Amino acid sequence: AQKVTQAQTEISVVEKEDVTLDCVYETRDTTYYLFWYKQPPSGELVFLIRRNSFDEQNEISGRYSWNFQKSTSSFNFTITASQVVDSAVYFCALSEAGSGTASKLTFGTGTRLQVTL
Amino acid sequence: DSGVTQTPKHLITATGQRVTLRCSPRSGDLSVYWYQQSLDQGLQFLIQYYNGEERAKGNILERFSAQQFPDLHSELNLSSLELGDSALYFCASSVEGWLETQYFGPGTRLLVL
């Protein structure tokens, strides 16, 4: 069964600090996708990034970067030079190919990031 | 703005009642998903529809049902409501519905008193 673990419940940083959010997943599938979503205080879920199981190339997009390592089943997310607007709950999610034609997302419990001045 | 719309934004009702949540997917998306976010259960997948047909079921209670109409909008019906049904209900959509990015609507916050 698929499972996503976000061990960090809450992280507090001061603005301009770098912060890494951890995500560990479990799956028996060889084909799967990993996602990060952001949920700001307003409540909506905002898509950030998607990675498939065959693409371990790490990516940097502005202040965001992602580190995908199949060997450790981890898909970590780093914010460089954090800003107050980054304050949100961040969710890691997994979608497996083996679920047939369906493609539900299995979410972790989320990490609440608080960035203060 | 994801392009997915949900109505109403907020809903307050009493135990035992029935409510209907509505979702319009992004233009061109054929697949609609419903998720429930509660404090104790987190974000959980409820059900998926693709082009009017049910494609997958998750942890959806028998008191809950959904459908997708020919114009591709979807409705989630919650009946015999209990206090524990209070949650944020999200609708998401994607083009086909398999290993794709799901774009979420703003959610409907349901409070059962």
Side-chain angles (χ1 to χ4, degrees):
Chain A
Q2 55 192 27
K3 186 179 176 182
V4 177
T5 301
Q6 295 181 254
Q8 303 153 310
T9 305
E10 192 160 344
I11 301 176
S12 290
V13 298
V14 176
E15 205 177 38
K16 297 181 184 170
E17 284 185 10
D18 298 346
V19 57
T20 295
L21 309 182
D22 298 334
C23 173
V24 173
Y25 62 93
E26 292 177 30
T27 178
R28 293 178 184 168
D29 239 308
T30 55
T31 302
Y32 53 89
Y33 276 79
L34 294 161
F35 302 80
W36 277 96
Y37 284 86
K38 172 182 178 180
Q39 186 174 37
S42 51
E44 72 272 25
L45 276 169
V46 179
F47 165 70
L48 295 177
I49 190 171
R50 178 179 82 155
R51 267 288 172 272
N52 73 55
S53 52
F54 301 108
D55 179 7
E56 287 193 73
Q57 183 177 3
N58 294 316
E59 179 176 328
I60 297 175
S61 175
R63 296 186 297 108
Y64 298 160
S65 62
W66 292 268
N67 187 337
F68 175 31
Q69 292 194 341
K70 283 177 73 171
S71 61
T72 56
S73 297
S74 65
F75 184 46
N76 298 335
F77 170 46
T78 297
I79 302 174
T80 303
S82 59
Q83 299 176 0
V84 172
V85 292
D86 296 326
S87 297
V89 180
Y90 290 82
F91 290 95
C92 181
L94 168 68
S95 184
E96 294 178 325
S99 53
T101 55
S103 199
K104 67 169 188 174
L105 289 172
T106 296
F107 285 89
T109 50
T111 297
R112 181 177 300 276
L113 174 64
Q114 185 71 41
V115 182
T116 56
L117 293 171
Chain B
D1 186 349
S2 67
V4 179
T5 60
Q6 288 186 250
T7 56
K9 281 189 177 179
H10 302 276
L11 203 46
I12 302 175
T13 189
T15 54
Q17 295 297 305
R18 171 190 169 98
V19 297
T20 298
L21 313 184
R22 183 188 167 105
C23 167
S24 292
R26 295 184 317 159
S27 177
D29 284 0
L30 298 177
S31 205
V32 169
Y33 313 76
W34 287 96
Y35 290 83
Q36 179 196 59
Q37 185 178 29
S38 63
L39 284 175
D40 52 344
Q41 299 286 337
L43 264 163
Q44 293 224 325
F45 168 74
L46 295 178
I47 198 164
Q48 177 195 7
Y49 277 82
Y50 172 75
N51 205 19
E53 301 286 329
E54 181 185 302
R55 181 168 269 188
K57 254 183 176 177
N59 299 324
I60 188 166
L61 300 171
E62 284 193 14
R63 300 183 285 108
F64 296 1
S65 64
Q67 57 185 134
Q68 187 180 27
F69 295 86
D71 67 351
L72 301 177
H73 90 271
S74 178
E75 292 181 356
L76 179 68
N77 301 296
L78 315 176
S79 61
S80 303
L81 284 167
E82 302 174 0
L83 296 177
D85 298 326
S86 296
L88 187 52
Y89 291 85
F90 285 108
C91 168
S93 74
S94 68
V95 178
E96 293 276 338
W98 194 61
L99 293 180
E100 296 172 315
T101 298
Q102 295 175 28
Y103 293 91
F104 283 76
T108 293
R109 192 170 294 277
L110 174 66
L111 180 60
V112 182
L113 299 175

